[in-house]
Amino acid sequence: MDSDGTRDARGTHAHPVPRPATPFEHNGTPPMPTVPPGAPPRPDGSPFLTWLRTPRPEAAPGVWRLGHRPRPEQEPEQTPARQLISGALIAFLVGWLVWSLLWNGYLGSWWVLPLQLLVPDSWRNSDSNVSRAFLWYGYYSLIALAILLVVGRLGRWGEVWRRYGPPAWRPARPVTERPPAPEQDPAEWPHLRQAGAHEAAERLAAEAKAGLMRDVDHARISRAWQGVRSGRHTLAGFTGAVLKDGSGACLHPSGERDLPVRHARHDLLTGQVRLGTTADDPRNPYHYRGAGLGLDPGLLGTSLLAVGPSGSGKTGAVVRPLAESLCLHALAGRASVVVVGAAGAGLGPAEGYDVVVRIGHPDSVYDLDLYGGTTDPDEAAAILAEALVGDLADPHPGSDSRRSTTVLAQLLGPFRAVHDRFPSVPELRGLLDGAPGPLAALRKALTDTGQDGLLRELDARERQMAHPGDVGTVLADRIALLDRPAFAPFFDTSGQSRPFSLKALDHPVRVRIDLPQRGHGDASRILARLVLAQFTAAVTVREDRSLFACLILDDASGAVTPEAVRSIQRLRSAGAGAVLTLRTLDDVPRPLRGPLLGAIGCRMALSGVTPWDGQDFADVWGKEWTETRDVTDRQIIAETPAGKAVHMLRRVITGQAPTARAVTVRQVERERWSASELAHGVPAGHAVLSLTSVRGEHAPPLLVDLRG
């Protein structure tokens, strides 16, 4: 090994074999190398250009468009093999019989009449045997060819050739696409040239051909160009950034241009991530069969619910690819994502996120803002009440937790007026418990500052505490779950920590929140509801709704409340969506299951769901009209020897006994997927998924192989 880290070209032997001298050794010093020793060859950009130029035809919702080849809507009818071969053979025998009858004169000589009428006598009676033979045998060949064409069409010889001939033996060759014209080549950035940014387009095209551009760079610069078209950025600023940094222009604030590792296939040009392959199953529409399944923000904007038992692939096959895709969109400036799950759930490495909040872990760099970054006591009270007792509200869709919100507002407002901050967890617990010390201190501070209006709030709170059934006791019990030694460094409101607020979703940020699980299950459910409430409150008041925001909640058990269902319904119009996973719908109160499935546009039932879960999915997917054929076969008994011979020939050709068939065709309404099929008919590693886009496009329930 040389001093520069490269291996000696002579090998690793101690005494290398002498080699002949090169011309440079006789003539002087060799030329200077063009690349450093050991450096890899410079890429030429062909993989990126191939990806960029691959066609992406318009397709139905959920179809992976990269390189997709559309199929017809209806499945073409295919003749059974035995019937096809028998028909081709019978057609050949019929053609042979007709030719034999003509050639041997059994049908007369009428078939040569056209030759006698159209050809001069001098040609037919020529003295040259060669000329006469050429004339007559040419006519015979023409008649034979006409017979072959007729019987070949009747016997479907072309279909036999395509299915069993040499075209079926050769492997399918990839279609070679012609290089697009310069004005249509996406690698030449024609939309920039049309807008007058020729220098920027030339710089980007050169870096794409040199292999210096990635798919994230292309998506990020395209997003910045959209900002120019919408007026958020200036053309001069965009051009200057591109000329200065090339494909590294308009970087994400983290400075990253890609994720540390990718586990799924992504197409940032269409925004899709591939989750699997639509199974070639008769229950799937024909144009979906065998196509890849891809999800994009246009589908996630209607939210996604995945239900399946542990080990069915919710995290590995659904949550992880979606989180990875949205992190790539965030690097491109298109989205912001918050991923919530248990610590160690496999939601991606910490290096792939900008903010990692590890609640209950002493090494966590970031803290979680308990009040969502708001300064309004009423808003903070509504968010905190949903987190603490949202699951205790009447599960009827019209119920809410307004009483709990009022109780918290009666304490948060006076406390913030005095301390210019909201109370910490121990302070809030003391106020809710009704301890005389904290309430007396708060009353004295309000009296000293002359805030009589807030004193009335505090008086009302003290009167309510004296009544039995006061909701403040329940709130105190719930907040006590967060007042544990493991959470002591967290939820700080004094400004000494680094709290993360979901108000930051105005920017393309990547956030991962690890919930504590071991020994803190109830606290984790409270925090999951807290993040969901803060997310829906933050995204609905954003100004730039072109930035897609998504919350991925791995294991939403206990997080589905009446208020959460109403909030999910509002996400679609706010340019946001949520991805929720459940082990079973039993984790959702029975009155909320229908509203939850109705509020979410994309529904997924994974392998192993229970029959009662399958019944809920079957109800929401509804029924469809299908055509059923009732066939009644009655065997025909031949009486004569000739009839028996005909029946034997028919059995040889069709492989079935001769029957008289009566067919009744009816239109009936049946479930798309029954509860029994969902519980017992979905193979391992598969799922049934229905899709709805934000534009209102629908895809029926599809059987999907998540491993493909």
Side-chain angles (χ1 to χ4, degrees):
M1 191 72 68
D2 292 341
S3 60
D4 57 1
T6 60
R7 185 175 296 278
D8 193 336
R10 297 173 295 177
T12 58
H13 301 284
H15 301 284
V17 179
R19 55 180 176 82
T22 63
F24 295 114
E25 293 176 345
H26 292 292
N27 299 333
T29 305
M32 181 69 66
T34 57
V35 296
R42 194 171 185 178
D44 59 354
S46 56
F48 172 78
L49 295 178
T50 302
W51 168 82
L52 187 60
R53 292 167 177 167
T54 301
R56 295 166 174 83
E58 292 294 331
V63 173
W64 176 257
R65 292 172 51 192
L66 179 63
H68 173 64
R69 295 184 180 180
R71 303 176 70 176
E73 292 286 337
Q74 300 295 331
E75 181 178 7
E77 295 185 2
Q78 192 173 24
T79 307
R82 185 169 183 172
Q83 182 178 346
L84 182 65
I85 297 297
S86 300
L89 180 60
I90 291 174
F92 173 75
L93 294 177
V94 169
W96 190 4
L97 176 63
V98 171
W99 173 253
S100 298
L101 294 176
L102 292 176
W103 182 260
N104 294 308
Y106 288 102
L107 299 180
S109 59
W110 58 268
W111 59 286
V112 297
L113 186 61
L115 180 66
Q116 296 175 353
L117 294 177
L118 299 177
V119 177
D121 294 340
S122 59
W123 290 15
R124 289 186 285 105
N125 301 323
S126 174
D127 296 334
S128 174
N129 294 331
V130 176
S131 299
R132 284 184 299 168
F134 180 80
L135 176 65
W136 285 98
Y137 282 101
Y139 182 73
Y140 298 154
S141 300
L142 183 63
I143 297 299
L145 180 61
I147 294 174
L148 283 176
L149 290 176
V150 173
V151 299
R153 188 171 183 85
L154 293 176
R156 300 182 180 181
W157 290 1
E159 187 175 350
V160 174
W161 175 263
R162 290 188 299 270
R163 287 172 61 175
Y164 305 105
W169 305 344
R170 296 189 298 267
R173 297 181 179 179
V175 179
T176 304
E177 298 288 340
R178 293 183 178 181
E183 62 275 6
Q184 299 177 349
D185 188 359
E188 297 291 337
W189 299 83
H191 50 286
L192 268 68
R193 300 178 187 274
Q194 294 174 1
H198 295 280
E199 296 180 353
E202 290 291 344
R203 175 69 185 273
L204 294 175
E207 296 212 353
K209 296 174 182 177
L212 302 178
M213 184 175 289
R214 312 176 187 181
D215 55 352
V216 179
D217 298 330
H218 185 276
R220 187 184 64 252
I221 295 174
S222 299
R223 168 71 178 179
W225 178 249
Q226 291 177 2
V228 174
R229 299 296 299 270
S230 63
R232 293 194 305 268
H233 310 296
T234 63
L235 178 60
F238 172 81
T239 304
V242 170
L243 294 179
K244 178 184 177 183
D245 300 321
S247 57
C250 311
L251 273 181
H252 185 264
S254 66
E256 300 292 337
R257 298 172 61 181
D258 204 348
L259 295 179
V261 63
R262 298 190 188 187
H263 286 85
R265 290 186 60 188
H266 303 273
D267 182 24
L268 292 181
L269 204 60
T270 59
Q272 292 182 311
V273 54
R274 181 162 181 162
L275 295 188
T277 303
T278 307
D280 190 2
D281 189 272
R283 289 170 291 192
N284 288 337
Y286 181 70
H287 61 284
Y288 273 101
R289 297 178 194 172
L293 175 72
L295 298 186
D296 57 16
L299 294 171
L300 296 180
T302 61
S303 298
L304 168 68
L305 174 66
V307 180
S310 300
S312 59
K314 298 188 301 296
T315 301
V318 179
V319 172
R320 176 70 184 272
L322 291 178
E324 193 174 273
S325 173
L326 291 168
C327 286
L328 289 173
H329 282 289
L331 291 179
R334 295 175 172 178
S336 55
V337 58
V338 180
V339 183
V340 183
L347 301 177
E351 295 78 10
Y353 295 89
D354 304 315
V355 176
V356 178
V357 183
R358 306 170 66 185
I359 301 176
H361 198 285
D363 296 334
S364 179
V365 178
Y366 288 92
D367 189 5
L368 181 64
D369 192 335
L370 191 65
Y371 302 97
T374 183
T375 58
D376 183 5
D378 294 328
E379 181 181 356
I383 292 174
L384 195 55
E386 170 65 15
L388 294 177
V389 294
D391 59 326
L392 299 180
D394 184 359
H396 190 275
S399 65
D400 53 31
S401 54
R402 281 179 288 183
R403 287 183 59 195
S404 303
T405 302
T406 302
V407 169
L408 288 171
Q410 288 172 344
L411 296 175
L412 296 182
F415 191 95
R416 179 170 180 80
V418 171
H419 300 282
D420 197 25
R421 63 177 177 84
F422 289 120
S424 62
V425 170
E427 292 171 334
L428 182 58
R429 180 184 181 184
L431 293 173
L432 289 172
D433 278 334
L439 288 176
L442 183 57
R443 175 179 293 278
K444 183 178 182 304
L446 290 173
T447 303
D448 294 341
T449 56
Q451 303 190 44
D452 297 335
L454 295 176
L455 274 173
R456 288 194 296 270
E457 293 283 339
L458 199 58
D459 292 338
R461 174 85 284 269
E462 290 180 344
R463 287 194 302 271
Q464 293 168 3
M465 289 170 56
H467 293 87
D470 177 39
V471 74
T473 305
V474 180
L475 291 170
D477 292 340
R478 286 299 181 91
I479 199 66
L481 296 173
L482 301 181
D483 189 18
R484 309 301 301 164
F487 307 137
F490 291 87
F491 316 120
D492 179 60
T493 59
S494 62
Q496 298 178 359
S497 63
R498 299 179 63 183
F500 171 75
S501 168
L502 269 70
K503 295 288 186 181
L505 295 181
D506 284 334
H507 309 284
V509 63
R510 303 166 294 166
V511 184
R512 193 187 79 188
I513 301 176
D514 294 344
L515 300 178
Q517 286 293 326
R518 186 174 302 175
H520 300 284
D522 291 335
S524 294
R525 286 186 282 273
I526 290 175
L527 294 173
R529 291 193 296 270
L530 177 66
V531 174
L532 179 57
Q534 291 184 1
F535 176 82
T536 54
V539 298
T540 52
V541 296
R542 295 182 306 161
E543 295 182 1
D544 183 12
R545 297 190 175 183
S546 65
L547 183 71
F548 180 69
C550 187
L551 171 67
I552 300 179
L553 187 54
D554 190 24
D555 190 6
S557 302
V560 180
T561 64
E563 182 60 31
V565 173
R566 287 192 292 268
S567 300
I568 291 174
Q569 291 175 330
R570 295 193 295 265
L571 293 179
R572 180 172 176 176
S573 60
V579 177
L580 310 178
T581 68
L582 292 170
R583 286 187 291 269
T584 173
L585 286 176
D586 285 341
D587 294 333
V588 179
R590 166 58 65 181
L592 288 180
R593 296 180 193 176
L596 175 64
L597 291 172
I600 287 183
C602 303
R603 313 171 188 98
M604 176 183 290
L606 288 93
S607 173
V609 297
T610 60
W612 39 94
D613 284 351
Q615 186 61 53
D616 290 325
F617 279 102
D619 291 341
V620 75
W621 282 331
K623 300 179 180 181
E624 63 179 347
W625 288 99
T626 59
E627 183 180 276
T628 61
R629 300 167 62 90
D630 296 332
V631 181
T632 304
D633 288 335
R634 180 179 59 84
Q635 187 173 358
I636 303 175
I637 306 300
E639 301 291 343
T640 63
K644 293 181 180 179
V646 172
H647 285 188
M648 183 178 298
L649 178 61
R650 184 174 175 181
R651 182 188 293 272
V652 170
I653 294 175
T654 63
Q656 298 176 355
T659 58
R661 173 173 296 182
V663 180
T664 303
V665 180
R666 295 182 302 168
Q667 292 286 336
V668 298
E669 193 177 19
R670 289 183 177 176
E671 291 179 327
R672 300 177 184 269
W673 279 83
S674 67
S676 178
E677 289 175 329
L678 290 172
H680 308 293
V682 180
H686 290 62
V688 179
L689 170 67
S690 66
L691 300 170
T692 303
S693 71
V694 293
R695 294 180 296 180
E697 300 171 325
H698 296 270
L702 306 171
L703 180 62
V704 179
D705 184 1
L706 298 177
R707 304 166 300 183

